[in-house]
Amino acid sequence: MSATMEHRDGIAAFAETARQAVASCAAKPVRDRASQLAGDGLLGILAPESAGGLDLGLDFAVPVMEAAGAGLLGFPLAETLLLGAAFGATPFGPAIVLGERVATIAWAGRVRTASGRVSGTVGRAPLADQADLLLVATETGAVLVARDAPGVTLQPAIGLDLEAPEHEVVLDAVAPLATLDAARFATLREDALLLRAAEIGGSAQRCLALALEHVSTREQFGRTLVSFQALRHALARQKLAVEHIGAALERHAALAASGAGEARHAARTAYAAATRFGIAAIESALQLHGGMGFTWEVDVHRHLRRARTAEAQGDAAGLHRRLAQDLLTANA
Amino acid sequence: MDQDQAFLPPGLAGEEYRAHVRAWLAAHVPAGFLADQADHQAPDLDACRAWEAAMHRGGLAGITWPQAYGGHGLTLREHLIANQEIGRLALPESVNSLGKELAGPIILAIGSEEQKRRYLPPLLEMREIWCQGFSEPNAGSDLAGLRTRATRDGSVWRVNGRKIWTSGAPNAQRCLLLARTGPIEDRHRGLALFAMRMDAPGVTVRPLRQMDGREHFAEVFIDDVVIEADDALGAPDQGWSAAVRVLAIERATNRMYRAWRFENELHHLVRACRLDATLAALIESGTYHRRLAETVVDIDIIKAYVEPVVERLMAGESIGDRGSLMKLHWSEAHQRFAALALELLEQAPPGAAPEVQAARARFQRLYLAARAETIYAGTTEIQLGIIGDRILGLPRERARGGR
């Protein structure tokens, strides 16, 4: 019990640092964001101490990802946290943790390997145009390549997200810098689900706050909007969604702290809950803004774009199929 | 009952207690009790009473209550463990849940020492079943409008009024009665709680037939019923506020087995579908993958709300209104699941195997019964109001400019 509570206190300490760091990133170019976040000690949360990291559990990254979501951080933060840990034993680890090299991951597609070189088209690589390092999936795990290596071509960004636009990358006989075996790459992908759940949760919280502010100030029919029950109930449902995600994230933390084998399953369901309830909450917050919600200036659409992108990057549709398949297998 | 049912080894806690619960249940669950087995027969009232009394002797009920009042003096942690194990088997719902989860905790909080010794042991031993006399024809969600009146008459109270939706009233020996001692304008103030005997002269129970065909809830007419002063719980003007505090905790701790029972239902549904070629093809096809996966996620969210409650309460933290979040979620999630189960199983072809027919019967009952879940214990709309008013703290502004 006390372990859980100490854990909660430790995690809370990151939240405030992260909020401030994310806020000060807003006006900076991407590479300066890397220095800012590294300087605040946020990029090495998961990385081993030998790489300059803090070697903490995944749940310590949750408040940082929440802050990134709430503050619309334009940086491949989940990717950086995961790559710093995965390549902690190589020279790339410290470079990533210190913010000297910007690293990202192509979440979709995989390349073929021939004669030690990789070729193919991968996609869903956030901010690949700003990155030095790119992780791509192979038949046997994943490899790290240099973005400026011969044979690497970037396609213009296409996708919903405005903060960390996604790119497709064509690789033609590119020499890898380092490799990740299948098991560690699978773990990285699973860990990413929890980080995305936190990010979507942060966005949903922020959108609820924006909606609350809007309906508390705008008047129609001689009353502030918040006095209308239909709107109050919509806000209550948004709050319910935010609490669902928070509870699911806490459950993962509790299971992980006690070493329960269920923790991995809990990360999957936390992510599934975030995509389902979090996105619905963001859409509802947009609705409560009325016409303002459909304008470019109001940030809710940015959160929606980002959350929908996180939904695709984590393959929420495929995850639901796997959860159903697991259920069928368990009752064969 | 066997002698060994009367035995809870002393000093058991945590996982040792879980091992005891598992072993005890494996040895004692009567034939036909398991809802996910083809031989399931819903037990009658007497069978439920005997079973629950046995569970109490085996250490699976009254877990956190003091030993002086018939409880086992364990912690909420063991309460959760027992609930998980009972839920996994989907054992019959308690016929005295209002006693164990509402009246009992309120008596423990505001009852006198003498009242605790008098009410609690018969409740746990299933000699006294309790019902809840709160709602009235004109005071449902708006409970503060209730009109049943208790008037002091010398050394006793004299009560007149009418209660409705009183679950379990036809079987109950006692009623946790909420009645007004002050003027109706006082709303929440001037309300008192009583432990009314259901066999008292002037108490008439008229069962109401429910939409699922059962007669579990009832109207209770109270005509000039005399309640002894020592059956009044707490001070006349404080009973309600104390009860509200208990209720907030109860909303978060009652029927903690829900997520695990829900899981039993989900797994039963899948197994039943796999027994039938038509249904197996349907659930394998992918058409239902999304809804099945969402059910898995919904159950994990219930667990995510329930599990931390124990540690928080044991650490002295407040649960506040979190019970409303939980109630809103499980009731709606369970209805979604019930609709899914019904839709799937109603596609079973004629002549399906007995196991499939048994599942059909279970999930038809469940679908109908689940309609009540977003109504009782505070409707969905009331819970949304609580979340808005008390958790989000939305201003309760009315019309401006004097309108």
Side-chain angles (χ1 to χ4, degrees):
Chain A
M1 176 195 79
S2 61
T4 310
M5 296 180 71
E6 273 173 38
H7 196 66
R8 248 194 277 163
D9 292 346
I11 285 178
F14 276 108
E16 190 46 42
T17 310
R19 268 192 293 274
Q20 289 172 9
V22 168
S24 52
C25 279
K28 292 181 172 153
V30 171
R31 302 200 77 83
D32 293 352
R33 291 175 194 166
S35 316
Q36 170 81 49
L37 295 164
D40 287 323
L42 296 174
L43 297 187
I45 293 171
L46 307 178
E49 288 176 16
S50 60
L54 299 170
D55 204 10
L56 292 169
L58 199 55
D59 299 296
F60 285 85
V62 161
V64 180
M65 291 305 299
E66 284 174 338
L72 288 170
L73 176 67
F75 189 77
L77 182 60
E79 289 80 1
T80 303
L81 290 167
L82 296 167
L83 291 171
F87 290 97
T90 74
F92 303 106
I96 292 168
V97 169
L98 294 172
E100 294 165 2
R101 300 249 211 147
V102 175
T104 191
I105 299 173
W107 292 106
R110 68 182 187 192
V111 295
R112 308 173 302 280
T113 312
S115 314
R117 290 174 178 262
V118 296
S119 303
T121 303
V122 292
R124 300 210 168 280
L127 285 169
D129 58 332
Q130 308 279 329
D132 306 301
L133 299 166
L134 173 70
L135 188 80
V136 298
T138 66
E139 305 94 327
T140 56
V143 294
L144 199 62
V145 300
R147 203 258 298 162
D148 60 1
V152 174
T153 318
L154 247 61
Q155 310 287 354
I158 178 166
L160 287 175
D161 190 12
L162 302 169
E163 304 345 293
E166 293 182 308
H167 293 261
E168 281 193 0
V169 186
V170 180
L171 297 95
D172 182 17
V174 177
L177 301 169
T179 63
L180 209 55
D181 66 30
R184 297 190 66 200
F185 184 50
T187 303
L188 180 150
R189 296 187 79 105
E190 295 279 343
D191 290 351
L193 297 182
L194 191 82
L195 299 183
R196 291 195 188 97
E199 186 177 26
I200 296 170
S203 271
Q205 273 180 52
R206 176 70 185 137
C207 290
L208 167 57
L210 290 170
L212 258 173
E213 191 185 331
H214 178 75
V215 299
S216 301
T217 46
R218 181 163 166 80
E219 287 188 24
Q220 289 285 277
F221 307 103
R223 299 156 60 177
T224 44
L225 292 182
V226 74
S227 66
F228 291 93
Q229 191 180 51
L231 277 56
R232 297 169 79 88
H233 283 192
L235 291 164
R237 289 216 178 261
Q238 290 169 37
K239 178 63 174 167
L240 184 67
V242 165
E243 293 290 333
H244 282 358
I245 300 168
L249 290 167
E250 268 190 50
R251 178 161 195 264
H252 175 273
L255 289 170
S258 66
E262 265 183 278
R264 180 168 279 208
H265 176 75
R268 290 178 192 160
T269 54
Y271 170 68
T275 58
R276 177 161 147 229
F277 295 104
I279 288 172
I282 295 168
E283 289 174 346
S284 168
L286 194 145
Q287 172 72 19
L288 289 200
H289 277 79
M292 288 301 294
F294 199 63
T295 64
W296 188 263
E297 304 92 278
V298 171
D299 274 346
V300 180
H301 76 99
R302 290 181 168 269
H303 289 280
L304 184 58
R305 288 161 176 273
R306 212 172 155 72
R308 284 289 187 189
T309 303
E311 180 187 39
Q313 285 174 354
D315 188 20
L319 176 70
H320 279 87
R321 285 194 294 275
R322 289 199 299 285
L323 286 171
Q325 205 53 60
D326 289 348
L327 175 69
L328 298 183
T329 308
N331 291 284
Chain B
M1 288 291 161
D2 304 340
Q3 272 306 302
D4 60 347
Q5 283 184 342
F7 184 61
L8 172 66
L12 284 189
E15 290 307 306
E16 284 180 348
Y17 175 77
R18 187 190 301 280
H20 162 77
V21 171
R22 282 193 177 166
W24 191 91
L25 288 172
H28 294 102
V29 172
F33 261 46
L34 299 182
D36 64 348
Q37 303 295 316
D39 70 350
H40 175 65
Q41 288 284 331
D44 63 17
L45 178 65
D46 286 344
C48 286
R49 277 184 118 126
W51 166 244
E52 290 187 48
M55 279 210 296
H56 168 240
R57 290 197 296 277
L60 280 72
I63 296 161
T64 61
W65 297 6
Q67 288 173 331
Y69 314 128
H72 296 291
L74 299 173
T75 71
L76 270 176
R77 220 171 273 147
E78 285 74 38
H79 177 77
L80 174 61
I81 287 171
N83 272 273
Q84 288 170 334
E85 299 303 325
I86 289 167
R88 274 189 189 115
L89 298 178
L91 289 166
E93 305 266 13
S94 170
V95 294
N96 202 5
S97 62
L98 292 163
K100 292 176 186 174
E101 299 190 320
L102 185 81
I106 286 175
I107 292 163
L108 278 169
I110 65 171
S112 68
E113 181 64 25
E114 186 273 328
Q115 287 174 328
K116 291 175 194 174
R117 291 183 185 274
R118 187 151 51 90
Y119 298 133
L120 298 179
L123 190 164
L124 288 172
E125 291 157 17
M126 296 298 289
R127 289 184 282 118
E128 285 196 348
I129 291 178
W130 287 66
C131 62
Q132 173 188 5
F134 282 22
S135 293
E136 296 185 5
N138 290 310
S141 292
D142 182 15
L143 206 50
L146 74 82
R147 289 165 186 277
T148 293
R149 175 162 297 282
T151 321
R152 193 79 202 210
D153 181 5
S155 64
V156 300
W157 292 90
R158 212 167 268 284
V159 185
N160 281 284
R162 183 175 157 205
K163 295 288 174 179
I164 199 166
W165 321 132
T166 310
S167 294
N171 305 323
Q173 284 72 48
R174 287 269 178 190
C175 177
L176 182 70
L177 182 77
L178 189 61
R180 186 169 292 290
T181 53
I184 189 149
E185 295 72 29
D186 276 1
R187 301 280 294 166
H188 285 115
R189 284 173 289 122
L191 292 177
L193 281 166
F194 299 91
M196 181 178 74
R197 298 174 59 94
M198 291 298 282
D199 61 1
V203 176
T204 311
V205 175
R206 189 168 74 85
L208 293 163
R209 186 140 198 223
Q210 300 171 186
M211 56 85 80
D212 63 357
R214 297 188 303 146
E215 290 187 351
H216 180 63
F217 64 18
E219 269 185 292
V220 179
F221 298 90
I222 304 165
D223 295 314
D224 223 21
V225 171
V226 171
I227 297 181
E228 299 297 331
D230 60 5
D231 280 336
L233 295 167
D237 297 330
Q238 292 158 9
W240 174 244
S241 58
V244 165
R245 285 197 303 277
V246 175
L247 283 170
I249 295 173
E250 283 306 294
R251 204 175 283 141
T253 57
N254 76 13
R255 302 193 189 186
M256 273 191 153
Y257 56 71
R258 269 197 191 92
W260 292 272
R261 184 185 185 90
F262 194 162
E263 213 159 45
N264 171 290
E265 292 161 357
L266 173 61
H267 288 221
H268 183 197
L269 171 67
V270 172
R271 282 200 314 279
C273 287
R274 298 202 111 175
L275 288 171
D276 182 272
T278 307
L279 300 180
L282 273 175
I283 58 168
E284 295 285 355
S285 72
T287 313
Y288 286 96
H289 280 182
R290 183 88 192 189
R291 285 162 77 190
L292 289 169
E294 287 182 352
T295 309
V296 170
V297 173
D298 280 339
I299 291 172
D300 270 18
I301 293 173
I302 305 176
K303 291 182 183 175
Y305 279 114
V306 170
E307 287 162 347
V309 162
V310 168
E311 301 301 330
R312 285 190 192 171
L313 287 176
M314 287 181 71
E317 291 178 45
S318 164
I319 292 296
D321 293 302
R322 287 187 71 76
S324 287
L325 300 166
M326 198 191 299
K327 202 271 165 172
L328 189 50
H329 173 65
W330 71 250
S331 60
E332 294 190 332
H334 202 225
Q335 285 186 347
R336 284 194 290 271
F337 165 71
L340 167 64
L342 189 76
E343 181 184 317
L344 266 168
L345 288 168
E346 292 303 306
Q347 295 176 75
E355 290 87 348
V356 178
Q357 301 290 12
R360 264 186 85 191
R362 180 187 191 188
F363 289 105
Q364 285 173 354
R365 284 194 305 272
L366 185 117
Y367 172 78
L368 295 176
R371 307 323 301 170
E373 292 171 351
T374 50
I375 300 170
Y376 66 57
T379 64
T380 292
E381 291 70 25
I382 287 290
Q383 306 301 343
L384 287 169
I386 291 173
I387 295 169
D389 296 348
R390 304 222 284 258
I391 298 183
L392 279 175
L394 302 179
R396 281 171 159 282
E397 179 208 29
R398 294 284 172 233
R400 289 200 170 185
R403 278 196 299 159

